[in-house]
Amino acid sequence: MSACETGRAKGHCRPALPPDLADPHRPAQNSRTPDGGEPILDESTIGRVSAQRARGSAALAVAPRDGGTAIAALSQSGSAKLLFPRAPRDAALDAVWLNTAGGLTGGDTFQLSAEARPGARLRLTTQAAERIYRALPGAPGAMTTQLSVGHGAIGHWLPQETILFDAAALTRSLRVDLTGDAAFLGCEALIFGRRAMGERVRDLRLSDRIDVTRDGRAVYADRLRLSGDADAQLSRAFVGGGAGAMATVILARPNAGDAVDTLRAMLPANAGASAPTEDVAVVRLLAEDGFELRRSLVPLLTHLAGAPLPRPWMI
């Protein structure tokens, strides 16, 4: 990892000065350090330097083959990568999303599209929790995910948690298009600072949306917008009740609503389950921190998936 990448992961990458700023008559604080190191930027120059941005996109299609599921098409570019752990031939195909930039900050953009063709079984997860770092004023980081699940196919979107740091800015969307009797299980989990590290998120710009359609008809839509002092807002009794983490779980398949009673019996007191339609069940969980959230989330997802979670969840 380069020095710039290391700095960027901490939210303060120092790019090289453009030629028009390389003026030997400028004050010493804008010249190279005595040991010949990188230039130090002050307030008069930081606004004139373009910050480094991360870009990444990946597209995947899978189809049935020899009693299992195999890759039919794959493309990836920039800081986005998909990894494919080995699995039994007759198992679902696991795909692991990896952001090689080490997280997102303002202005970063990532896109993922995946298609499970009729009869295929696809499970998408992430290598680790995604980190959303402090962003400078301006454009937020953006993450767009689009899944298509064909007739008789099964698609799982099970990323690990997204950790939001103080002053983070993120716009995120998930769209799932189902055809016929396609089945979908999805989870989106958010952690508002690491409580064990004493972190609190007092400045946040978050816009999150989820849309699920079946045969072109909307069956579920979710919108979350949280701006300003997230810690204070989540402390309110009828907002978060002091929660530092939350998750939304969506099950969309024929007769999914029949699972609600079983789900409610598995949930802690600060969680709930409902069935907006007979073919959709939704669970919302709140927790004090990411550790407590995972304690409830892992057995719940394992039950709904009918199999152990993808391997990265266990590392």
Side-chain angles (χ1 to χ4, degrees):
M1 179 177 289
S2 70
C4 188
E5 289 171 328
T6 302
R8 182 185 171 280
K10 297 178 181 178
H12 54 262
C13 176
R14 297 186 299 177
L17 287 173
D20 66 314
L21 295 183
D23 182 353
H25 300 293
R26 293 184 65 82
Q29 64 266 31
N30 291 326
S31 61
R32 289 194 173 273
T33 57
D35 61 359
E38 292 184 59
I40 300 174
L41 309 184
D42 65 7
E43 293 182 358
S44 67
T45 60
I46 192 67
R48 301 174 63 190
V49 179
S50 297
Q52 184 185 33
R53 301 304 187 198
R55 302 282 187 269
S57 64
L60 169 68
V62 302
R65 182 185 300 172
D66 300 330
T69 298
I71 298 172
L74 172 65
S75 66
Q76 48 195 358
S77 64
S79 297
K81 297 291 182 289
L82 285 171
L83 307 177
F84 302 92
R86 292 185 178 181
R89 183 182 296 273
D90 61 350
L93 179 72
D94 280 350
V96 181
W97 166 267
L98 171 62
N99 172 5
T100 62
L104 277 77
T105 187
D108 293 350
T109 57
F110 285 83
Q111 297 176 324
L112 170 64
S113 64
E115 177 189 7
R117 294 176 180 173
R121 292 174 293 167
L122 173 64
R123 299 198 309 174
L124 284 157
T125 188
T126 55
Q127 187 184 47
E130 187 63 273
R131 290 163 171 78
I132 313 301
Y133 294 108
R134 174 186 297 272
L136 295 173
M143 176 67 197
T144 302
T145 304
Q146 184 163 352
L147 308 180
S148 175
V149 188
H151 181 75
I154 299 173
H156 289 180
W157 171 243
L158 303 174
Q160 297 187 68
E161 303 89 342
T162 294
I163 303 174
L164 298 159
F165 290 86
D166 193 34
L170 174 67
T171 296
R172 185 174 67 171
S173 67
L174 168 65
R175 180 180 176 88
V176 183
D177 296 313
L178 308 175
T179 301
D181 63 351
F184 170 73
L185 172 63
C187 174
E188 290 285 14
L190 295 168
I191 298 176
F192 299 90
R194 298 168 297 180
R195 292 290 176 95
M197 305 284 288
E199 297 172 352
R200 292 291 189 271
V201 179
R202 305 190 188 282
D203 181 16
L204 177 65
R205 287 181 289 146
L206 172 65
S207 177
D208 201 9
R209 62 182 292 162
I210 301 173
D211 293 284
V212 182
T213 70
R214 186 178 297 276
D215 297 326
R217 180 176 61 88
V219 296
Y220 179 75
D222 193 312
R223 303 291 185 268
L224 171 64
R225 186 179 297 274
L226 193 54
S227 181
D229 190 334
D231 189 67
Q233 294 182 58
L234 290 169
S235 295
R236 296 169 57 187
F238 296 102
V239 177
M246 64 174 291
T248 300
V249 178
I250 306 160
L251 178 67
R253 67 186 185 200
N255 302 314
D258 294 345
V260 167
D261 289 341
T262 301
L263 295 176
R264 287 173 177 166
M266 299 178 63
L267 297 175
N270 51 352
S274 63
T277 72
E278 63 180 9
D279 294 335
V280 177
V282 179
V283 175
R284 188 91 77 187
L285 301 98
L286 296 174
E288 180 182 359
D289 55 28
F291 178 77
E292 290 298 326
L293 181 68
R294 186 169 279 226
R295 287 183 61 180
S296 299
L297 200 54
V298 169
L300 177 67
L301 293 176
T302 301
H303 168 75
L304 291 174
L309 294 180
R311 187 175 303 174
W313 275 82
M314 306 307 168
I315 298 175

